[in-house]
Amino acid sequence: MSKYPIQIASKLSGVGVHTLRAWEKRYSAVVPSRNDSGRRLYSDDDIEKLKLLSDLCSLGNNIGAIANKNISELKEILKKLGKQDFDESPKVNEVKGQDIQDALKNLILALEFYKLDVISHEIKKIMITMNPKDFALKILMPLLQEVGIRVERGTFSIAQEHALSSILKFHIGHLIYKSYQTRRKKNALVLLTTPENEMHEFGIMMASLLCCHHGVNFYYLGPNLPPEALGDAASSLEADAVILGTTVVTAMNTDLNDYLERTLRHIGKKTSLWVGGNGDFDIDSFLRSKRFRYLPTINQLDRILADLI
């Protein structure tokens, strides 16, 4: 069974570090083991319980009332509240091109008038009727591009863009964390994150949806991960590859060449580094490494994930 330091346990469970420590200290929600230096180490069961507690608290439950319940009891409470497991999702049907265009138009129109409840409902409905790959490539990517264009033109505000982002992250995040409960068809394990100081995460969210679609084992670690923490995760999880999402913003906040060099050192020789997006770095120098792969488009990543075994 894998063991994770608190920063990685926080990323995997979706529970903030400060909240995790409070739940542990006040309620003994989880009782991590300790290594020789006294550092907390969390198990897979701890991670699963933290996810369940987070879901229940988001539905209005008081942490003090549920912290000491076991995983089976927490799942039963969720079931009574009408939350279905990821494995029980309705069968996905093929969605036609016109339906996709109509869905995009409806989302843009709802955002124009700040109908955030309508957006949330439409996103949830779309995610039920489409497979994760089609949702990523046919809905999420064109939707974000269109909203970005409208923000640049001044016809949409930053507030509208942020509101949409928040709703999308909620629904995609829920699907990602629930997907950890499913058995995967492929043995390869990949981790997904962005460089330190890079907060744009929709690229790695789309990559996570592709992992869901192709049955690839993965852990979504969220954005803004230092090389040292990423190395800890890669070692603890025995990852085959790390998918790193970059944007032009990365170079403004971080020396990407230095970050990639440090990351290659910390993740170990058995883990490959796959870098996607349009971040600015010396591609040619890194391509000399057999452990490095450059993925400028999401479609290239899609093909690679499809071929993994």
Side-chain angles (χ1 to χ4, degrees):
M1 182 176 286
S2 300
K3 296 288 185 178
Y4 316 98
I6 191 168
Q7 292 85 357
I8 301 305
S10 173
K11 290 282 189 181
L12 294 177
S13 66
V15 177
V17 170
H18 296 300
T19 301
L20 199 164
R21 284 177 175 150
W23 287 1
E24 180 185 331
K25 182 178 180 180
R26 298 176 188 173
Y27 309 107
S28 299
V30 292
V31 182
S33 60
R34 304 265 182 168
N35 63 12
D36 294 339
S37 61
R39 188 183 188 189
R40 291 178 176 88
L41 294 174
Y42 297 82
S43 68
D44 290 316
D45 286 343
D46 290 334
I47 302 298
E48 183 177 4
K49 183 174 182 180
L50 288 168
K51 291 177 193 171
L52 292 168
L53 289 173
S54 179
D55 279 350
L56 285 167
C57 286
S58 70
L59 293 171
N61 288 267
N62 187 295
I63 182 63
I66 59 176
N68 292 322
K69 295 186 181 296
N70 61 39
I71 290 175
S72 296
E73 291 171 327
L74 295 173
K75 285 183 175 180
E76 186 62 28
I77 296 172
L78 273 174
K79 187 175 181 180
K80 289 179 179 178
L81 291 172
K83 301 291 288 184
Q84 66 178 12
D85 291 334
F86 183 81
D87 289 337
E88 298 171 354
S89 297
K91 186 176 180 180
V92 174
N93 299 313
E94 184 178 357
V95 179
K96 297 179 181 180
Q98 185 58 49
D99 294 331
I100 292 171
Q101 293 304 313
D102 289 343
L104 289 169
K105 289 178 181 178
N106 290 338
L107 288 168
I108 292 293
L109 184 62
L111 185 58
E112 182 178 349
F113 292 99
Y114 278 98
K115 298 293 185 181
L116 305 186
D117 56 334
V118 174
I119 295 172
S120 183
H121 176 76
E122 285 296 312
I123 291 295
K124 184 176 182 179
K125 183 174 69 175
I126 292 168
M127 292 181 74
I128 289 174
T129 57
M130 297 183 76
N131 64 55
K133 174 182 173 178
D134 283 347
F135 175 72
L137 301 183
K138 297 180 180 180
I139 295 291
L140 185 58
M141 188 161 62
L143 176 62
L144 292 173
Q145 289 173 345
E146 178 62 24
V147 171
I149 290 171
R150 294 192 181 212
V151 170
E152 287 185 4
R153 291 174 179 170
T155 55
F156 272 2
S157 69
I158 296 293
Q160 286 168 301
E161 184 179 38
H162 285 192
L164 175 65
S165 296
S166 178
I167 294 169
L168 289 170
K169 287 176 183 179
F170 172 81
H171 288 290
I172 298 170
H174 188 74
L175 186 150
I176 287 172
Y177 290 122
K178 287 298 181 184
S179 75
Y180 295 158
Q181 301 172 12
T182 66
R183 291 185 178 181
R184 296 298 177 185
K185 297 180 292 184
K186 302 183 179 183
N187 295 321
L189 172 65
V190 300
L191 310 181
L192 300 102
T193 188
T194 70
E196 194 170 14
N197 301 317
E198 171 60 85
M199 303 305 297
H200 291 78
E201 57 184 313
F202 277 114
I204 55 173
M205 280 191 159
M206 284 192 282
S208 296
L209 292 172
L210 292 180
C211 288
C212 289
H213 179 77
H214 291 295
V216 176
N217 291 292
F218 75 97
Y219 282 111
Y220 179 82
L221 301 181
N224 185 31
L225 206 60
E228 297 79 10
L230 185 50
D232 279 346
S235 175
S236 297
L237 297 167
E238 298 181 348
D240 295 288
V242 169
I243 298 177
L244 195 70
T246 69
T247 71
V248 291
V249 176
T250 309
M252 296 169 58
N253 301 320
T254 302
D255 183 339
L256 194 50
N257 288 305
D258 176 68
Y259 180 90
L260 296 178
E261 289 174 359
R262 291 162 57 205
T263 297
L264 281 169
R265 289 198 303 269
H266 283 289
I267 62 176
K269 296 182 179 180
K270 295 183 179 180
T271 304
S272 299
L273 179 61
W274 302 354
V275 178
N278 53 6
D280 185 19
F281 64 99
D282 187 359
I283 298 172
D284 291 338
S285 66
F286 287 99
L287 288 175
R288 301 189 189 107
S289 171
K290 295 181 179 179
R291 295 193 295 127
F292 184 87
R293 176 174 270 169
Y294 179 51
L295 304 171
T297 70
I298 194 75
N299 289 315
Q300 285 179 279
L301 175 62
D302 178 46
R303 290 192 291 270
I304 289 170
L305 293 176
D307 292 336
L308 285 179
I309 58 174

